[in-house]
Amino acid sequence: MASLRLALTVVAGALLASLALSSCSADASSTPTPTSSSARSADAAVDAPAASPTVDPMEEDGSAAAVCGQISALSTIALNASDGRSRGALTDAQYEALIAAERFGYEHLSSSDERLDNAIDYALEYLDAHPAPASGPALEDSPEWELVGRTLNTACQQAGSNVVATAQSGG
């Protein structure tokens, strides 16, 4: 029972981290810089109607920060699933369920940031070429999959976001 709680805690923590990171998706370049034309009088600012962009709160955030936050959450799931299984805290079935969740997350990555497009396409091509087996882990821990991970990490760094996996135990 404790190992099931561990698995649920890992998944819940990773999902919360992903949501927290995706809500912090505005990057510094989107902050307007004051210009001489923006220094209007108080009367002109009052007379002008406020421009409020209509943003659908249910629309997926495809920014680099949000996508790299998702990748961080998926990396956290994989790290803690592997660690939990190696320590005997997770059964093989629990480990496989977490890895299936990780794969599902990678299969549904999409971005509006063109700096991530090629890396995401590469990951999706890998997943298409390596379907999940009927039994066993949905992703193989292989050099090819590690290359996919490094490619995604590099693309995130080039887009100004980091990918970080958080270990539940260890130092």
Side-chain angles (χ1 to χ4, degrees), residues 1-142:
M1 185 64 163
S3 59
L4 180 57
R5 274 194 219 127
L6 171 66
L8 292 175
T9 301
V10 169
V11 171
L15 291 175
L16 286 174
S18 175
L19 289 173
L21 290 171
S22 67
S23 68
C24 299
S25 62
D27 61 2
S29 65
S30 67
T31 305
T33 52
T35 63
S36 61
S37 65
S38 66
R40 292 190 253 167
S41 70
D43 291 337
V46 170
D47 293 339
S52 71
T54 55
V55 177
D56 181 2
M58 296 306 291
E59 187 175 316
E60 181 179 359
D61 185 353
S63 68
V67 173
C68 296
Q70 291 172 343
I71 294 169
S72 291
L74 296 171
S75 298
T76 295
I77 290 170
L79 172 68
N80 288 297
S82 295
D83 178 64
R85 184 176 72 165
S86 70
R87 289 184 301 105
L90 296 176
T91 66
D92 286 342
Q94 291 167 326
Y95 169 78
E96 290 171 12
L98 289 169
I99 299 304
E102 175 197 15
R103 181 184 183 103
F104 178 83
Y106 280 113
E107 288 173 336
H108 291 87
L109 280 181
S110 66
S111 177
S112 60
D113 190 311
E114 60 189 44
R115 295 170 291 189
L116 298 175
D117 286 344
N118 289 337
I120 291 173
D121 288 345
Y122 178 56
L124 295 175
E125 288 170 11
Y126 175 89
L127 293 171
D128 285 343
H130 299 87
S135 64
L139 285 170
E140 292 292 326
D141 190 20
S142 67

